[in-house]
């Protein structure tokens, strides 16, 4: 009898140990892929800085750099009433009313409250496209994860339309996928895998890459990150069955204002 009990306990412990081992292997593969894709996104965007140094390039980024410099040296009140005679010749330009100032305020905030004297304003402006490009890559992965969760991926428009024609109300239970695996910290598979590969694609997609190269200090380098943050927070606020989802809706509104 004792031998039978030992065999049964060993047999019951074996699946649990196998599951833990698979989770460890899965976690290692996910961590490695995440590290590889984000480092790749960062290194590609740093190529111009590594080759030419922290130099602002192109016309619009150079104007944005001048506007940031003026904001840093003169404050936001003078910035919004600044009339620049060096652009739009011979008329000049009322910069405060013809510019999207979010990027300039971001750079000055980083200079004043994050880096201080450890980095020059020029260097911060050169690196902002790189930093925000990597952040946009992460946020696209977060959007993919949220869209691939079981509560969001169990149904489709056709099934909802068919149910409506039959006079049936599609519940959240009907829209929840049945085949899902729980991993470490409650993360779902294959939602995590979808997020990782989305980051890999976003890190190298040319349409985003050309607007987030180091030294390309233009509005899109920050705006794409703000846009993806807005989309993620909005999608996150729609998740079923959670009490404080409205807070993500509030944050989505703030991110939209920033965008």
């Amino acid at each position: 009898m004792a031998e039978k009990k030992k065999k049964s306990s060993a047999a019951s412990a074996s699946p649990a140990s196998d599951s833990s081992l698979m989770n460890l292997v899965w976690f290692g593969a996910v961590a490695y892929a995440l590290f590889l894709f984000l480092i790749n996104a960062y290194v590609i965007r740093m190529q111009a800085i590594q080759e030419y140094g922290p130099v602002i390039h192109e016309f619009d980024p150079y104007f944005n750099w001048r506007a940031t410099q003026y904001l840093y040296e003169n404050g936001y009140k003078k910035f919004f009433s600044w009339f620049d005679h060096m652009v739009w010749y011979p008329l000049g330009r009322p910069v405060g009313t013809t510019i999207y100032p979010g990027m300039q305020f971001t750079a000055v905030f980083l200079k004043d409250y994050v880096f201080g004297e450890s980095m020059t304003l020029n260097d911060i402006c050169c690196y902002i496209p790189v930093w925000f490009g990597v952040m946009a890559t992460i946020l696209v992965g977060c959007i993919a994860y949220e869209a691939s969760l079981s509560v969001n991926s169990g149904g489709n428009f056709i099934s909802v339309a068919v149910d409506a024609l039959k006079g049936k109300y599609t519940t959240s239970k009907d829209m929840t996928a049945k085949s899902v695996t729980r991993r470490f910290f409650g993360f779902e598979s294959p939602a995590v895998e979808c997020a990782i590969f989305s980051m890999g694609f976003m890190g190298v997609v040319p349409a985003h890459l050309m607007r987030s190269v180091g030294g390309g200090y233009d509005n899109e380098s920050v705006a794409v990150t703000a846009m993806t943050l807005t989309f993620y927070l909005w999608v996150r606020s729609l998740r079923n069955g959670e009490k404080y989802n409205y807070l993500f809706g509030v944050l989505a509104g703030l991110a939209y204002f920033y965008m």
Side-chain angles (χ1 to χ4, degrees):
M1 291 292 292
E3 289 183 0
K4 287 183 178 180
K5 287 183 178 179
K6 286 182 180 180
K7 287 182 179 179
S8 62
S9 62
S12 61
S14 180
S17 61
D18 290 345
S19 177
S20 298
L21 180 60
M22 284 300 298
N23 278 338
L24 282 173
V25 172
W26 175 87
F27 181 78
V30 166
Y32 176 75
L34 177 64
F35 174 79
L36 182 66
F37 289 148
L38 294 183
I39 287 294
N40 190 43
Y42 182 82
V43 169
I44 291 175
R45 287 164 174 78
M46 281 291 295
Q47 185 175 353
I49 293 178
Q50 290 174 347
E51 189 168 348
Y52 303 107
V55 178
I56 300 289
H57 54 80
E58 299 180 31
F59 176 78
D60 285 348
Y62 189 78
F63 167 76
N64 292 326
W65 150 244
R66 284 187 58 246
T68 304
Q69 193 176 30
Y70 188 92
L71 173 63
Y72 178 67
E73 294 175 353
N74 297 279
Y76 72 93
K77 289 184 178 180
K78 288 188 176 180
F79 176 78
F80 283 118
S81 61
W82 176 34
F83 193 91
D84 188 4
H85 295 278
M86 296 180 65
V87 297
W88 291 3
Y89 182 83
L91 298 176
R93 176 180 181 177
V95 176
T97 56
T98 60
I99 193 175
Y100 297 106
M103 184 173 61
Q104 285 77 16
F105 275 88
T106 300
V108 172
F109 175 84
L110 292 175
K111 172 64 177 173
D112 285 339
Y113 300 105
V114 179
F115 296 105
E117 299 301 321
S118 62
M119 285 188 75
T120 65
L121 186 63
N122 176 81
D123 289 355
I124 291 173
C125 294
C126 288
Y127 280 92
I128 274 180
V130 180
W131 298 332
F132 279 75
V134 175
M135 283 192 288
T137 300
I138 296 172
L139 288 168
V140 166
C142 293
I143 294 171
Y145 176 79
E146 197 65 33
S148 304
L149 287 175
S150 58
V151 294
N152 296 324
S153 60
N156 54 62
F157 173 77
I158 295 176
S159 64
V160 173
V162 170
D163 287 346
L165 291 174
K166 292 179 179 179
K168 177 185 175 184
Y169 179 77
T170 304
T171 64
S172 58
K173 185 177 180 181
D174 298 326
M175 298 294 288
T176 301
K178 304 301 185 290
S179 58
V180 60
T181 303
R182 292 284 180 179
R183 300 292 188 180
F184 283 118
F185 310 113
F187 287 114
E188 289 188 8
S189 177
V192 171
E193 289 86 338
C194 293
I196 294 297
F197 280 101
S198 297
M199 291 184 197
F201 287 124
M202 186 63 176
V204 297
V205 68
H208 182 232
L209 188 59
M210 65 184 293
R211 309 310 302 172
S212 56
V213 175
Y217 182 60
D218 212 346
N219 290 319
E220 294 84 0
S221 60
V222 173
V224 172
T225 305
M227 190 181 301
T228 52
L229 176 62
T230 304
F231 290 160
Y232 168 68
L233 292 172
W234 174 66
V235 173
R236 177 63 182 82
S237 70
L238 300 177
R239 187 187 293 184
N240 287 325
E242 295 198 5
K243 185 177 180 181
Y244 297 104
N245 279 346
Y246 68 92
L247 295 177
F248 290 97
V250 173
L251 293 175
L254 295 175
Y256 182 69
F257 174 78
Y258 175 64
M259 179 183 72

